[in-house]
Amino acid sequence: MSTPSGPAADPTLDPALQSWVESANDPASDFPIQNLPLCGFVAERDGHAHAHLGVAIGDQVVDVSMLAEAGAIADDDEEVLDALSDPFWYGVLGVPGMAGRVRPVLQRFLRADTAAGQRARRVRSKALRPISETRFLEPVHVFNYTDFYASVHHATTVGSMFRPENPLLPNYKHIPIGYHGRASSLVVSGTPVRRPWGQQAPPDNEPEAGPSFAPCRMLDYELEVGAVIGVGNRMGEPIAVGEAHRHLLGLCLVNDWSARDIQKWEYQPLGPFLAKNFATTISPFIVTLEALAPFRCPAPARPKGDPCPLAYLVDEGDQAAGGFDITLEVLIRTEKMAAQGLDALRLSRGSFRHMYWTVAQLLTHHASGGCNLQPGDLLASGTVSGPEPESRGCLLELTWQGHGPDGKPRPRKPIDLPTGETRTFLADGDEVIMRGHCVRDGFRRIGFGECRGKVEPART
Amino acid sequence: MSTPSGPAADPTLDPALQSWVESANDPASDFPIQNLPLCGFVAERDGHAHAHLGVAIGDQVVDVSMLAEAGAIADDDEEVLDALSDPFWYGVLGVPGMAGRVRPVLQRFLRADTAAGQRARRVRSKALRPISETRFLEPVHVFNYTDFYASVHHATTVGSMFRPENPLLPNYKHIPIGYHGRASSLVVSGTPVRRPWGQQAPPDNEPEAGPSFAPCRMLDYELEVGAVIGVGNRMGEPIAVGEAHRHLLGLCLVNDWSARDIQKWEYQPLGPFLAKNFATTISPFIVTLEALAPFRCPAPARPKGDPCPLAYLVDEGDQAAGGFDITLEVLIRTEKMAAQGLDALRLSRGSFRHMYWTVAQLLTHHASGGCNLQPGDLLASGTVSGPEPESRGCLLELTWQGHGPDGKPRPRKPIDLPTGETRTFLADGDEVIMRGHCVRDGFRRIGFGECRGKVEPART
């Protein structure tokens, strides 16, 4: 599996490090002092709402903007202080290496073995707020959003619905398939998502009836991992695959909500459009490449007979640099489940390490024709589905039962919920919760927190 | 044809209006005082480059930022002055009706019958600079770029290349087909465009050879009209087709450069990606809806047997409000032609009024599922091709000769150039020039200026 090269030497990853924020020392926490994922949140001050920078630690958020302004951190490094004065991490995004410089500064403030006098203790208590009471913002402004299709398992299952004998198109194993998404409708975890209206195909046996315009009846989620660009490239200048990680700020979770009935009717010949652009949810936290270093991994070995990637997609220097071993899961809680006080039900669990194309390959391919990536751009992986049926990252796949002997699709198999309800696709009031974390011997658990979204009824 | 309702009553369109900028009074000028399209340009001041707002008039650009700062215009309307203080027209974009309020203010300054004392004459001369010596910027920052496919003639010709018996897919006449483009690589007219690299399909008779990664060999332009959003909508809130024009700031020209060989290999199943995102060129001028009012027109009558659009795409109140009658042309000048001092050669000429879907329908469809449009967003029409062969808006169509009796495509017919050169697709050094204008009895000609781009050799 994973064969990372040398990150253990990074002292900020030392598993022995503890924080004075007690909850961060719980081995089950997503946010130990070794993680420190970046976020943005609303701080109330003088009766006004301000956008502040934060990092998660245990069950708390540290108000980084306040600390920087109060001179409580980085007082010896003007450049780091400057970098933290910009909202939405602009001062960190575009500056090579800056995320790595901010990290030890924040760790120094948060370490249990940092001495604290009376004033420091006052600053500490003022700087923390519970995650559960925080109103998060998008962690960065995403001006360009791209969605890939990098799981061969997802592509094969979905392809088999339309082309049972030939599920994968001839290009799939040669070229990372991707398309541009809609940046304006990216929302942060917790934002309700309204069921879209859209055109839907006429019934198969009644093409003369024409399409209808109605609320989506096949609303789905897609579990994805998002890569956030830190440093861009100039138009016309590609990025070598061995350099890709230098352009990455970090990763987050993405729910690429999908209206399957709208998609089916509109997507030919130019791809998905309104089926996707009503909303895309991102998690509030960007887990930095520094925190993820121990969890890098190569793409899985290609099955015998698969082509080798073309040279521009092969990192001769370090095959392990491009992928990430992240355990991912999706849960659902319906309104009825919530009313009965039931926990969310897990729908799937899988790993990001099974992706056919690595994050580095996606990034390099994106820029290979000359397209300029910009700080804050989001490159989503496409639905993360693994080889096992329980690792399928969307309902379209989870409830699919293949074709019957008559060549027609078998009826979808609904998912049973503890309330007695069933789901083939999402119903109004359903909340979808995505989680991700990395574990490896000798390292603290690094988690992604949650990417949540609740379906609101369609506009009437 | 066009049956506009009442714009003749707008005094700012009075054809008798003259400007003290003499070149604007030439009937052949794109930019009479009745036009005043919005642009942005680089102004040098105190040795520094600043982004200034401008409008075109005759062969000149008026420095609107300087005029506003000097108090030479709109001194009686604080709101208009404020609107002009923001770079990139942000103060105008998001404010309903503001473009219409700015227009008479600028006209008052530019009218020949406005008295001018010595100070005013000094301001006048300082405010003008020749278009030919101006370094333009993107007229607005485009954060979201969408490309449609609204010409049925284009869709039919291109479709026939792949599906001779069934060129149009079943959805085409029901739903405006569109996809998200790449905003980061939008460039303003005059910016050189580097030939992209990309994956290309293996030869048809040698699929085992696998794809190659090489410079594009089938580089093309696409003549399009871009609609710039002025006022957006909130997520989840659609825009009625009868209200669409209230959300439009104006129109510009767009060259949607296309790498046909890259597109052919990558576009299934999720649409064009690297084939388009290496560059898209927009003209420097946004012609406002106010200037275009006399040239609104309905969509052409649908041929018998075509379906009626669904209700949300039909403007019962004013069928004429959605389309625009704009004459468009594309010219080419190769390096050899330039060296020999030859004029650019016209490749095509057509009209935007032949589009199957109107701008209003594209905008309304875009927001119909809940997608939020934002000020400055660009909605491009897709290649503008009309019913006549000479109105085809890209080389892919212009050099196409259909299929032979053997069912195989006939060889493409190269275009002869006055130098003895020929072109099937674009060669390095070729400059593509797009122009557009509107004419109608009783009104001054309203032009779009030029959208130019020269092909640079691929990176070595």
Side-chain angles (χ1 to χ4, degrees):
Chain A
M1 203 210 59
S2 132
T3 53
S5 50
D10 179 354
T12 70
L13 292 168
D14 181 350
L17 283 180
Q18 301 263 307
S19 173
W20 49 262
V21 182
E22 284 298 335
S23 57
N25 303 325
D26 178 346
S29 174
D30 269 1
F31 306 129
I33 193 170
Q34 292 80 1
N35 191 349
L36 304 182
L38 315 181
C39 66
F41 66 95
V42 178
E44 299 282 342
R45 212 172 52 186
D46 314 327
H48 295 285
H50 298 267
H52 274 208
L53 307 182
V55 295
I57 176 91
D59 56 5
Q60 304 287 309
V61 175
V62 184
D63 187 335
V64 174
S65 295
M66 188 271 272
L67 290 178
E69 209 176 301
I73 51 169
D75 51 353
D76 55 342
D77 191 335
E78 284 287 332
E79 282 179 16
V80 168
L81 265 190
D82 279 354
L84 297 177
S85 68
D86 269 35
F88 295 103
W89 298 102
Y90 285 138
V92 171
L93 280 169
V95 187
M98 186 51 80
R101 284 169 68 185
V102 167
R103 184 175 162 79
V105 166
L106 293 173
Q107 270 199 349
R108 200 155 60 227
F109 175 77
L110 288 164
R111 282 170 68 145
D113 58 1
T114 303
Q118 197 180 344
R119 179 175 172 273
R121 282 198 300 275
R122 205 164 47 235
V123 171
R124 284 181 178 182
S125 73
K126 278 182 67 178
L128 293 189
R129 63 185 60 212
I131 286 178
S132 59
E133 292 169 23
T134 300
R135 197 174 131 214
F136 289 101
L137 300 166
E138 291 79 18
V140 294
H141 269 309
V142 176
F143 291 121
N144 299 280
Y145 164 43
T146 301
D147 195 22
F148 283 93
Y149 196 55
S151 161
V152 71
H153 307 288
H154 173 68
T156 305
T157 307
V158 173
S160 75
M161 297 177 196
F162 303 103
R163 299 171 303 272
E165 288 80 30
N166 186 24
L168 269 192
L169 292 168
N171 55 9
Y172 188 86
K173 292 182 172 179
H174 296 282
I175 188 168
I177 297 292
Y179 66 104
H180 300 117
R182 178 80 188 177
S184 75
S185 52
L186 281 164
V187 296
V188 73
S189 175
T191 309
V193 169
R194 184 171 273 183
R195 179 183 298 272
W197 284 66
Q199 283 200 29
Q200 294 154 28
D204 283 342
N205 53 358
E206 228 184 319
E208 295 308 316
S212 55
F213 184 71
C216 166
R217 280 170 295 205
M218 297 171 73
L219 184 62
D220 202 356
Y221 61 84
E222 288 193 341
L223 167 67
E224 307 200 5
V225 170
V228 178
I229 299 298
V231 180
N233 62 307
R234 290 199 304 189
M235 254 181 94
E237 304 291 331
I239 296 171
V241 68
E243 296 292 316
H245 62 285
R246 293 189 206 282
H247 293 262
L248 265 184
L249 178 69
L251 305 182
C252 62
L253 304 176
V254 176
N255 182 346
D256 182 36
W257 303 91
S258 297
R260 301 300 183 188
D261 39 6
I262 298 172
Q263 186 172 353
K264 186 181 167 197
W265 175 238
E266 76 172 3
Y267 91 103
Q268 280 186 316
L270 299 180
F273 182 40
L274 300 198
K276 302 277 191 174
N277 71 11
F278 57 96
T280 306
T281 305
I282 59 174
S283 58
F285 306 109
I286 300 173
V287 180
T288 64
L289 220 62
E290 287 75 13
L292 290 168
F295 310 102
R296 286 200 192 167
C297 66
R302 291 191 162 202
K304 210 177 153 173
D306 276 16
C308 290
L310 285 170
Y312 76 102
L313 295 172
V314 178
D315 182 0
E316 294 292 354
D318 186 357
Q319 294 292 329
F324 295 89
D325 184 14
I326 308 168
T327 299
L328 297 163
E329 53 184 25
V330 181
L331 302 93
I332 191 171
R333 180 157 40 200
T334 67
E335 263 181 354
K336 203 166 182 180
M337 289 168 72
Q340 296 182 9
L342 295 171
D343 282 342
L345 176 78
R346 190 164 75 201
L347 294 174
S348 71
R349 184 184 167 99
S351 173
F352 191 52
R353 72 169 188 272
H354 296 302
M355 302 302 273
Y356 198 80
W357 298 103
T358 66
V359 170
Q361 287 171 325
L362 302 183
L363 189 151
T364 291
H365 179 66
H366 201 320
S368 68
C371 180
N372 53 328
L373 305 180
Q374 295 179 322
D377 284 357
L378 182 70
L379 277 56
S381 60
T383 306
V384 183
S385 293
E388 317 85 9
E390 64 272 20
S391 68
R392 294 174 170 185
C394 60
L395 291 172
L396 184 72
E397 290 178 80
L398 277 174
T399 63
W400 174 246
Q401 295 201 103
H403 292 82
D406 59 354
K408 288 187 180 157
R410 290 200 175 87
R412 290 186 168 271
K413 182 177 161 56
I415 292 166
D416 292 319
L417 303 177
T419 47
E421 296 172 290
T422 62
R423 287 292 179 273
T424 310
F425 288 100
L426 296 170
D428 293 346
D430 288 355
E431 186 174 32
V432 177
I433 304 155
M434 298 175 171
R435 295 178 185 150
H437 71 270
C438 306
V439 288
R440 183 178 159 205
D441 279 351
F443 292 92
R444 281 296 303 270
R445 169 192 170 104
I446 298 291
F448 283 74
E450 290 184 338
C451 181
R452 309 172 79 103
K454 192 170 168 177
V455 179
E456 286 190 333
R459 200 164 173 280
T460 47
Chain B
M1 203 211 62
S2 131
T3 52
S5 49
D10 179 353
T12 70
L13 292 168
D14 181 351
L17 283 181
Q18 301 263 307
S19 174
W20 49 262
V21 181
E22 284 296 337
S23 57
N25 303 325
D26 178 344
S29 173
D30 269 1
F31 304 129
I33 193 171
Q34 292 81 359
N35 191 346
L36 305 182
L38 315 181
C39 66
F41 66 95
V42 178
E44 298 283 342
R45 211 171 53 186
D46 315 326
H48 295 285
H50 298 266
H52 274 208
L53 306 182
V55 295
I57 176 92
D59 57 5
Q60 305 286 310
V61 174
V62 186
D63 188 335
V64 174
S65 295
M66 189 270 272
L67 290 179
E69 210 176 303
I73 51 170
D75 51 352
D76 55 342
D77 190 336
E78 283 288 333
E79 282 180 17
V80 168
L81 264 189
D82 279 354
L84 297 177
S85 67
D86 269 37
F88 295 103
W89 298 102
Y90 286 138
V92 171
L93 280 170
V95 187
M98 185 53 80
R101 284 168 68 185
V102 167
R103 184 175 163 79
V105 167
L106 294 173
Q107 270 198 349
R108 200 155 61 226
F109 175 77
L110 288 164
R111 282 170 68 146
D113 57 1
T114 303
Q118 196 179 342
R119 179 174 172 275
R121 283 198 301 273
R122 204 163 48 234
V123 170
R124 284 181 178 182
S125 74
K126 279 182 66 177
L128 293 188
R129 62 186 61 213
I131 287 178
S132 59
E133 292 168 24
T134 300
R135 197 174 131 215
F136 289 101
L137 300 166
E138 291 79 18
V140 295
H141 269 310
V142 176
F143 292 120
N144 299 280
Y145 164 44
T146 301
D147 195 22
F148 283 92
Y149 196 54
S151 161
V152 71
H153 307 288
H154 173 68
T156 304
T157 308
V158 173
S160 75
M161 297 177 195
F162 303 103
R163 298 172 304 271
E165 289 80 31
N166 186 24
L168 268 193
L169 292 169
N171 55 9
Y172 188 85
K173 292 182 172 178
H174 296 281
I175 188 168
I177 297 292
Y179 65 104
H180 300 117
R182 178 80 187 178
S184 75
S185 51
L186 281 165
V187 296
V188 74
S189 176
T191 309
V193 169
R194 183 170 275 182
R195 179 182 297 273
W197 285 66
Q199 283 200 29
Q200 293 154 28
D204 283 341
N205 53 359
E206 228 185 319
E208 296 307 314
S212 56
F213 184 71
C216 167
R217 281 170 293 204
M218 297 171 73
L219 185 61
D220 202 355
Y221 61 83
E222 288 192 342
L223 166 68
E224 307 199 6
V225 170
V228 178
I229 299 298
V231 179
N233 63 306
R234 289 199 306 189
M235 254 181 93
E237 303 292 330
I239 296 171
V241 68
E243 295 293 315
H245 62 284
R246 293 189 205 284
H247 293 263
L248 267 184
L249 179 68
L251 305 181
C252 63
L253 304 176
V254 176
N255 182 345
D256 182 36
W257 303 90
S258 297
R260 301 299 184 190
D261 38 6
I262 298 172
Q263 187 172 354
K264 186 182 167 197
W265 175 238
E266 76 173 2
Y267 92 103
Q268 280 186 316
L270 299 180
F273 183 40
L274 301 198
K276 302 276 192 174
N277 71 11
F278 57 97
T280 307
T281 305
I282 58 174
S283 58
F285 306 110
I286 299 172
V287 180
T288 63
L289 219 62
E290 285 77 12
L292 290 169
F295 310 101
R296 286 199 192 170
C297 66
R302 292 192 162 200
K304 211 180 151 170
D306 276 17
C308 290
L310 285 169
Y312 76 102
L313 295 172
V314 178
D315 182 0
E316 295 293 351
D318 187 359
Q319 295 291 328
F324 296 89
D325 184 14
I326 308 168
T327 299
L328 296 163
E329 53 185 24
V330 182
L331 302 93
I332 190 170
R333 179 154 43 197
T334 68
E335 261 179 357
K336 206 167 180 178
M337 290 168 72
Q340 296 182 10
L342 295 170
D343 283 342
L345 176 78
R346 192 165 73 201
L347 294 173
S348 71
R349 184 183 166 98
S351 172
F352 191 51
R353 73 168 186 271
H354 296 301
M355 303 301 273
Y356 198 79
W357 297 103
T358 66
V359 170
Q361 287 171 324
L362 302 182
L363 188 152
T364 291
H365 179 65
H366 202 321
S368 67
C371 181
N372 52 328
L373 306 180
Q374 296 178 322
D377 285 357
L378 182 70
L379 276 56
S381 60
T383 306
V384 183
S385 294
E388 318 85 10
E390 64 272 20
S391 68
R392 294 175 169 185
C394 60
L395 291 173
L396 183 72
E397 289 178 80
L398 278 174
T399 64
W400 174 246
Q401 296 202 102
H403 292 83
D406 59 353
K408 288 187 180 159
R410 291 200 174 87
R412 289 187 169 272
K413 181 177 165 55
I415 292 166
D416 292 318
L417 304 177
T419 47
E421 297 173 289
T422 62
R423 287 291 181 274
T424 311
F425 289 101
L426 295 171
D428 292 345
D430 288 355
E431 187 174 31
V432 177
I433 304 155
M434 298 175 171
R435 295 180 186 149
H437 70 271
C438 306
V439 287
R440 182 179 160 204
D441 279 352
F443 292 92
R444 282 295 303 270
R445 170 191 168 105
I446 298 291
F448 283 74
E450 289 184 339
C451 180
R452 308 173 80 103
K454 192 169 169 177
V455 179
E456 285 191 333
R459 200 165 174 279
T460 48

